[in-house]
Amino acid sequence: MFLVVSCPCALVISVPLTFFGGIGGASRQGILIKGSNYMDALARLHTIVFDKTGTLTHGQFVVTAVHPDACDERQLLHLAAHVEHFTTHPIGAALRDAFPDEATDGCEVSEVEEVSGQGIRAKVGSQVVCVGNTKMMDAIGAKWHDCHHAGTIIHVAIDGVYAGHIVINDKIKDDSVTTIAELKQLGASRIVMLTGDRQAVASDVAQKLGLTDYHAELLPADKVAHVERLLQEKPEDGYLAFVGDGINDAPVLARADVGIAMGGLGSDAAIEAADVVLMDDRLNRLPLAVSIARRTLRIARQNVWFAIGVKVAVLLLAAFGLATMWLAVFADVGVTVLAVLNAMRALKLHKRE
């Protein structure tokens, strides 16, 4: 009877099956979790770090204002659209959309160079055009000036001379506000935004979403440094998640305890580096993923305590000669069947907890 009861079938079958069920249940909701170890991390998130563009916002920029200095509006848009012709960044798409005739005007674009964290430099015809942020303007010695409009400011310089700037705005996703509120209800203590965008834009987004903290005008390496600092500040029993979608987010996704990528608009590099992928780009899937992870761990613990409790009770009865072989069989096979049935609950859709 001791040999029959002590068989660990209930534990070695039901616990892994619970995690498989949780991963399967999450995939039905458009959440791809790449391993059961990330279930535990999702269930105990303390700090959640978000990228801004394409994650908290739509990433669908539109040009809202054009302020030329050394040329007219059409010429400024014309040059910026040509320089951004080959980039996949949403800002480049907005500039191309604002000047749709750039592909048919016969201008030749050559020597295209993307400067990380600054912008793009290219030769349009005989002119060297730089399109980017203030760091790029400072690097080439162009005397830029700020803009009173709210939004992302794209500065343009022609042959090292400041030519003007273009104002581009993005829209916050409809579910971003509710997602942040739900994550706070689930116990996330710190919710931080890291972005390469301007300080004014980042402040506006952070205030509207009710974020704990934000950091703006960051290079990809700066994001990694901030995540490293946040990892040091979190408690030992808590985990840090980073949510992003761009190719520049791949190093941060890999460094975080849990990297979460947007699967629809996200780059291949971000999806590859991430541990969790939100396949439909709906940010409200993130609180659901946390809820699924917590429910999965709760079911696994139920199976562990139930199996061990029944086995210990029957072993004690057997030690005093009060157990029968049928009771021993129930403590082995019966408990295994009940634990497996309980594990299958992880597959079912449930309300957020």
Side-chain angles (χ1 to χ4, degrees):
M1 282 189 289
F2 264 71
L3 288 173
V4 172
V5 174
S6 61
C7 180
C9 293
L11 294 176
V12 299
I13 294 176
S14 67
V15 173
L17 189 62
T18 302
F19 285 99
F20 295 156
I23 292 173
S27 65
R28 289 181 178 180
Q29 303 302 313
I31 305 165
L32 175 61
I33 301 175
K34 296 184 179 181
S36 57
N37 53 320
Y38 302 119
M39 282 283 189
D40 182 55
L42 281 172
R44 294 193 287 165
L45 286 181
H46 174 271
T47 304
I48 304 176
V49 184
F50 287 93
D51 176 44
K52 181 181 76 69
T53 305
T55 304
L56 294 173
T57 62
H58 285 283
Q60 297 174 348
F61 292 92
V62 292
V63 173
T64 57
V66 181
H67 298 155
D69 276 24
C71 59
D72 57 27
E73 291 187 9
R74 180 178 173 81
Q75 179 69 4
L76 192 66
L77 277 175
H78 162 251
L79 293 173
H82 270 300
V83 172
E84 299 281 349
H85 179 77
F86 299 102
T87 183
T88 59
H89 196 281
I91 289 179
L95 292 171
R96 293 194 299 270
D97 292 342
F99 194 86
D101 299 330
E102 57 94 11
T104 59
D105 61 5
C107 287
E108 181 181 352
V109 182
S110 60
E111 302 178 17
V112 180
E113 178 187 1
E114 184 167 354
V115 182
S116 178
Q118 295 186 9
I120 299 179
R121 178 190 297 110
K123 196 171 183 180
V124 182
S126 60
Q127 297 176 310
V128 177
V129 182
C130 295
V131 180
N133 55 23
T134 57
K135 294 177 181 177
M136 172 168 273
M137 297 298 106
D138 291 337
I140 63 174
K143 296 181 179 179
W144 59 274
H145 59 83
D146 208 348
C147 181
H148 64 279
H149 282 69
T152 300
I153 310 299
I154 306 300
H155 298 275
V156 181
I158 303 173
D159 293 329
V161 179
Y162 189 66
H165 56 262
I166 301 168
V167 184
I168 295 178
N169 263 326
D170 195 3
K171 184 181 178 183
I172 296 175
K173 289 182 178 179
D174 296 333
D175 57 354
S176 292
V177 176
T178 56
T179 297
I180 299 300
E182 289 178 6
L183 289 172
K184 289 181 178 179
Q185 291 177 358
L186 288 170
S189 300
R190 297 187 69 179
I191 301 179
V192 184
M193 180 180 71
L194 303 180
T195 178
D197 214 334
R198 297 168 63 233
Q199 184 76 20
V201 177
S203 176
D204 182 62
V205 173
Q207 184 178 6
K208 289 179 179 177
L209 296 180
L211 302 179
T212 307
D213 196 7
Y214 71 92
H215 301 277
E217 300 180 14
L218 301 178
L219 297 174
D222 297 329
K223 291 184 179 181
V224 177
H226 278 287
V227 167
E228 291 280 3
R229 176 180 58 80
L230 291 170
L231 284 169
Q232 295 295 324
E233 294 175 357
K234 69 177 180 62
E236 292 184 3
D237 59 343
Y239 288 86
L240 180 144
F242 180 84
V243 188
D245 71 312
I247 189 170
N248 289 335
D249 296 328
V252 199
L253 288 166
R255 181 62 188 90
D257 293 326
V258 186
I260 303 173
M262 314 299 283
L265 293 175
S267 67
D268 292 341
I271 294 172
E272 179 69 23
D275 308 308
V276 179
V277 182
L278 308 180
M279 298 305 297
D280 56 4
D281 279 345
R282 294 172 59 186
L283 200 60
N284 58 8
R285 297 297 185 192
L286 182 54
L288 180 59
V290 174
S291 183
I292 289 174
R294 290 183 178 179
R295 184 171 186 263
T296 300
L297 261 67
R298 186 163 54 252
I299 293 174
R301 292 190 188 101
Q302 289 172 359
N303 286 338
V304 170
W305 288 111
F306 174 68
I308 293 177
V310 172
K311 288 179 180 293
V312 169
V314 175
L315 285 173
L316 290 174
L317 292 174
F320 292 99
L322 301 176
T324 64
M325 183 56 71
W326 286 112
L327 187 58
V329 170
F330 169 77
D332 178 23
V333 180
V335 169
T336 300
V337 172
L338 291 175
V340 168
L341 292 175
N342 189 45
M344 292 174 64
R345 293 170 50 227
L347 279 167
K348 295 181 180 179
L349 181 65
H350 65 287
K351 295 181 180 181
R352 293 180 185 174
E353 302 174 5

